[in-house]
Amino acid sequence: MSAGRHSQAQLEPRNAPAVSYWPARLDLLQGASGLLLVLFMWAHMTFVSSILVSEEAMYRVSLMFEGYYVFGSSHPWLVSVVALAITALLMLHAVLAMRKFPQNARQYADFLAHRRRMHHTDTTLWWWQLVTGFLLFFMAPAHLYTMFSQADQIGPYASSWRVYSTQWPLYLVLLVVVEIHAALGLYRLIVKWGWLRSVSRKYLRMIIGGLAVYLVLHGVSTLLAYYKLGETLRDTPGLRYQPVEVHP
Amino acid sequence: MNDAAVIAKDGEEHGARRLRFEIFRFNPCDPDSRPHYDTFELDDAPGMTLFIALNLIREQQDPGLQFDFVCRAGICGSCAMLINGRPTLACRTLTGTLPDTVRLSPLPVFELIGDLSVNTGKWMRQMSERLRTWVDVAEDVDLDSLETPMDPDAAQAIYELERCIECGCCVAGCGTAVMRESFVGAVGLNKMARFRLDPRDTREDADFFELIGTDEGIFGCMSLLGCDDVCPKDLPLQTQLAYLRRKMAKVTLTG
Ligand code: HEM
Ligand code: SF4
Ligand code: SF4
Ligand code: FES
């Protein structure tokens, strides 16, 4: 290593070992946080789309997250805690992924020229991972804060009204962006760590792309269900769902 | 008449397709020189490689054109260039497989000597010295004693990775290397994988970690896999990079 490449931290006198494990740890953490977020997104989709089953199903899922089936009463702050935890995970992932962004105009120009020259699928896909990741910086927190601050207003009617009256444009774009990013991230993780080696990259892209298309369609129909239900509540905003069975 | 002239004559007689070559021109030593593309035209001919085409252009149209060739058989690694944006070996590219208009540029990342000629050697040497890409032994070897025979399977596995010709295509095809100068590239990482397999090399994974467990090494690689897709020797770069990443991550978790 030439003298000029030592960082200031390396020049500080200290007893630390010469070799740093941090680049490796950060790479592992980046992958792990990304993977956890992907798994969370799948679980999230499953729970949210309970509205496609019935209003009652969605109501029960929301009760579950409020701890009703454990404590016998509803504690919406549990939902706030989950929203906070996901926000923390997202911040961890974002700060780690930021290391991979081009750092200055020259690096952007070099990468974009390279991408244009090469016409190479995986290089282009990485660029879209970057763009979608960047968009998530702004879009994901908007949704997370709503869930954090209005945790007591989640349910078939309350959620539908929120989707219909204000949130649907954000959710529609967020849905597409997050699914693209998650699919690309999952693909990247698989090729990066050498999992599923018997599947060619081309097939892998087709499988994961198919999965992403399915998830977007599933998400759009869910969103549409909330929107339509919300539309019927136009004259009664703030109306709460009355469960089929009477709960205390 | 030499081979090239025979092929060229053959082409004229068969009313062959006309190829247009847009070739990057720049002489960094000449203060008046500005980077630009010059266009040359040539008749395609059966079996013609880009090596032959470039020689014809130099012989017949512009004796000042700079490009590198040594073996013209895909062994020396000198002739790598961007052909319509993708790095590959000119000597192994048949003009018949190319579209009518072909744009030739020098490999990015490496120091430009002039026109299509770049100094891959300088880059490779720096990388080699940094990573110690040789059989590294902790103690002095007794040169008079009989060498321990190598297990044939190990020899075969090493040979598979040893086929790298240091052409630089994987570096020029890598988005990370293009953005970040100090990145060692798939060529360097592949060499580490190769010496890691070598029973004569006394380095342990912890030693390899010191060399490539960094953001300039395996943890800088963003798995864009341009390297794997452009390597003209079809080295299993994707597999090797993932393998090294797992091994080096393991050092962190256990060490
Ligand atoms: C603030 C929001 C986010 C930003 C800025 C962001 C940015 C990025 C970037 C730039 C990469 C590429 C890193 C590389 O090439 O090594 C990446 C990878 C990844 N992202 Fe995100 N992302 C965000 C949110 C998410 C979310 C919500 C998910 C899950 C749905 C996710 C899942 C992944 C996965 C699985 C990877 C691959 C990890 C790896 O290669 O080690 N990300 N992210
Ligand atoms: S790994 Fe392949 S592309 Fe890279 S230098 Fe070696 S032969 Fe060339
Ligand atoms: S996988 Fe990508 S980032 Fe890694 S060396 Fe190959 S081209 Fe470069
Ligand atoms: S001239 Fe040697 S590899 Fe092309």
Side-chain angles (χ1 to χ4, degrees), chain A residues 1 5 19-21 23-25 27-28 99-103 106-107 110-111 114 117-123 126 188 191-194 197 201, chain B residues 82 84-87 108 172-175 178-180 209-210 213-216 219 222-226 228-229 238 242 245-246 249 252-253 255:
Chain A
M1 241 195 266
R5 296 225 344 276
V19 42
S20 166
Y21 290 131
R25 287 186 191 134
D27 199 45
L28 280 165
R99 299 172 306 140
K100 304 292 176 179
F101 275 70
Q103 305 295 320
R106 189 191 60 79
Q107 289 193 354
D110 284 349
F111 184 83
H114 171 74
R117 277 196 303 264
M118 282 272 288
H119 297 288
H120 177 252
T121 315
D122 284 340
T123 303
W126 182 79
R188 182 94 42 226
V191 294
K192 191 170 174 179
W193 293 97
R197 259 159 291 168
R201 263 188 280 151
Chain B
L82 297 184
N84 287 332
R86 284 242 183 174
C174 169
V178 166
M179 269 196 287
R180 306 194 164 99
F209 188 93
E210 278 190 42
T214 59
D215 279 334
E216 285 81 37
F219 298 112
M222 304 193 292
S223 307
L224 313 182
L225 295 168
D228 190 280
D229 290 328
Q238 177 183 354
R245 192 187 293 273
R246 291 201 302 275
T252 323
L253 297 176

Side-chain angles (χ1 to χ4, degrees), chain B residues 108-139:
Chain B
V109 182
F110 303 101
E111 179 184 304
L112 184 73
I113 296 172
D115 300 343
L116 300 176
S117 172
V118 291
N119 196 344
T120 45
K122 187 173 164 187
W123 192 99
M124 294 292 168
R125 182 167 183 107
Q126 280 174 355
M127 177 275 291
S128 291
E129 286 174 359
R130 228 167 106 197
L131 299 186
R132 306 173 67 86
T133 60
W134 49 78
V135 174
D136 213 344
V137 283
E139 288 151 36

Side-chain angles (χ1 to χ4, degrees), chain B residues 221-235:
Chain B
C221 162
M222 304 193 292
S223 307
L224 313 182
L225 295 168
C227 56
D228 190 280
D229 290 328
V230 299
C231 174
K233 304 304 277 187
D234 289 326
L235 261 72

